[in-house]
Amino acid sequence: NLAMHKIGPSFAAGNTTFLKPSPQCYFSSNLLVEICHAAGMPSEALQMCLPDLPLIKDVVSGPDVQVINFTGGVAAANSIGNLSGFKKLLFELGGNDPLIVMDDANINTAAKCVIAHRFSCSGQRCTAAKRVFVHKDVYDTFKEVLVTETQKLKNRRSPQR
């Protein structure tokens, strides 16, 4: 889980972590925080915040905040950087990750991999492939399988609590 890659080291170093998830990931992030608290992590060590964008300045510019570790988009990172003052900043702003399908690939597995990369977490995983290159000899077959498998996807809403 991407969030745990941030929360774990922060907790191990004795820091307080404010998890500000994407609005699309609210329910799973809230469940993760509840699990961490149930496992013994103090609520003071891990808190989830969902401030409106105008209020984010209060969060990032606070005098008690010494380091900001942010994974997300360039526009949000620029805003955080401009508002945070002189703090340590670590930004992970996605990548340009290719997924390459060669002519000897298992086409079904490759198509399912592409779907998992692009549709899990609403496609907002920084580790997900952003570009897909398919060998010309298997392109038509790959496209057909990809479309067929994508059409099988269901919109599953998170359960309301």
Side-chain angles (χ1 to χ4, degrees):
N1 181 294
L2 182 62
M4 284 309 297
H5 286 127
K6 309 284 183 164
I7 294 167
S10 177
F11 178 67
N15 297 308
T16 297
T17 300
F18 291 101
L19 174 62
K20 194 269 177 228
S22 162
Q24 293 90 342
C25 298
Y26 169 80
F27 289 107
S28 60
S29 297
N30 191 54
L31 182 59
L32 176 65
V33 170
E34 288 176 3
I35 290 169
C36 288
H37 291 162
M41 186 179 284
S43 61
E44 302 83 30
L46 174 60
Q47 300 175 22
M48 190 168 86
C49 62
L50 290 169
D52 290 330
L53 289 180
L55 299 176
I56 200 73
K57 178 182 182 196
D58 296 335
V59 174
V60 301
S61 65
D64 293 330
V65 175
Q66 298 172 10
V67 178
I68 298 171
N69 185 336
F70 172 77
T71 299
V74 173
N78 284 335
S79 179
I80 291 168
N82 290 333
L83 297 171
S84 63
F86 294 101
K87 300 183 186 309
K88 294 178 185 177
L89 302 173
L90 171 61
F91 293 154
E92 296 181 49
L93 306 179
N96 200 4
D97 313 304
L99 190 145
I100 302 169
V101 182
M102 298 302 294
D103 59 347
D104 61 347
N106 179 317
I107 300 300
N108 290 327
T109 300
K112 288 178 181 178
C113 186
V114 168
I115 290 168
H117 273 254
R118 296 313 316 149
F119 287 92
S120 65
C121 297
S122 300
Q124 298 193 28
R125 260 183 36 212
C126 66
T127 57
K130 314 298 185 285
R131 302 174 292 148
V132 180
F133 295 98
V134 182
H135 192 280
K136 65 182 179 179
D137 292 346
V138 295
Y139 176 81
D140 291 331
T141 303
F142 175 81
K143 182 172 102 174
E144 181 179 316
V145 172
L146 182 67
V147 169
T148 300
E149 291 298 317
T150 301
Q151 290 172 337
K152 293 178 184 177
L153 295 175
K154 303 285 186 222
N155 182 5
R156 294 183 207 145
R157 291 179 173 243
S158 297
Q160 298 291 326
R161 292 181 155 198

